[in-house]
Amino acid sequence: MNMIMETTRFGALEYGSEQIISFVTGIPGFKQYVTFMIVTIEDSPFQYLQSLENGELAFIIVSPFEFYPDYEFDLSEQVKDELKITEEEGLEIYNIVRVPEELSSATINLLAPIIINGPKQLAVQYILSNSPYSTQHQLFSKNAVTGGE
């Protein structure tokens, strides 16, 4: 049975229970919202992480490897336990993108990736410690890969 969520960005959004992602500890700054779904944008590396509890709350996300193919970090045992990770298969990594007025000035938060265990439908936003990454890497910089250019 499908459900419908009224959203400001997409209007009535129909989804099934298999699309629900539960954030174990919420998203920092938005901890009261724990259920989300990913809304795919056709022919784009960008997607939306839409709250299923607040129709006004959605984040633009992207796989970091689309722009930073050498991006890497280690998951803590705590995160592996929280997400019930037993193998890497089914893991998805996204980062939140901030788009100011000009798309060319968009930034990606590489310091706090979103880790999703797809088969378990569990997620966390994992804040990396002792990391060279920051919350505002230029998305379209000379260090980032941009669609094969």
Side-chain angles (χ1 to χ4, degrees):
M1 180 176 149
N2 285 345
M3 296 161 270
I4 296 177
M5 172 76 185
E6 284 295 327
T7 68
T8 54
R9 189 171 309 265
F10 306 105
L13 189 61
E14 187 173 344
Y15 63 98
S17 60
E18 72 283 356
Q19 294 174 279
I20 298 173
I21 299 166
S22 297
F23 277 74
V24 176
T25 56
I27 293 177
F30 302 91
K31 290 202 178 274
Q32 67 271 38
Y33 305 111
V34 295
T35 57
F36 290 81
M37 70 175 287
I38 293 178
V39 179
T40 301
I41 303 171
E42 208 167 298
D43 298 327
S44 170
F46 300 99
Q47 300 178 67
Y48 283 93
L49 184 64
Q50 172 67 55
S51 169
L52 295 176
E53 299 159 293
N54 180 344
E56 297 178 1
L57 182 62
F59 301 97
I60 300 171
I61 59 173
V62 69
S63 167
F65 309 109
E66 293 281 336
F67 295 90
Y68 289 89
D70 296 331
Y71 181 64
E72 64 181 4
F73 57 88
D74 293 319
L75 277 180
S76 70
E77 290 302 317
Q78 179 183 345
V79 169
K80 290 178 184 175
D81 290 344
E82 287 176 347
L83 295 181
K84 301 178 181 169
I85 296 172
T86 56
E87 58 187 41
E88 289 187 18
E89 190 171 318
L91 286 184
E92 300 171 43
I93 311 294
Y94 297 99
N95 296 75
I96 293 177
V97 173
R98 182 181 153 270
V99 181
E101 292 180 24
E102 299 285 330
L103 181 61
S104 62
S105 300
T107 60
I108 181 171
N109 180 352
L110 294 178
L111 186 63
I114 292 171
I115 318 297
I116 300 173
N117 182 349
K120 300 286 185 187
Q121 297 177 266
L122 295 173
V124 296
Q125 186 174 25
Y126 179 46
I127 299 173
L128 305 175
S129 60
N130 299 320
S131 169
Y133 301 116
S134 78
T135 59
Q136 295 186 7
H137 285 266
Q138 290 296 311
L139 197 57
F140 300 108
S141 74
K142 61 184 174 188
N143 294 329
V145 176
T146 54
E149 292 179 20

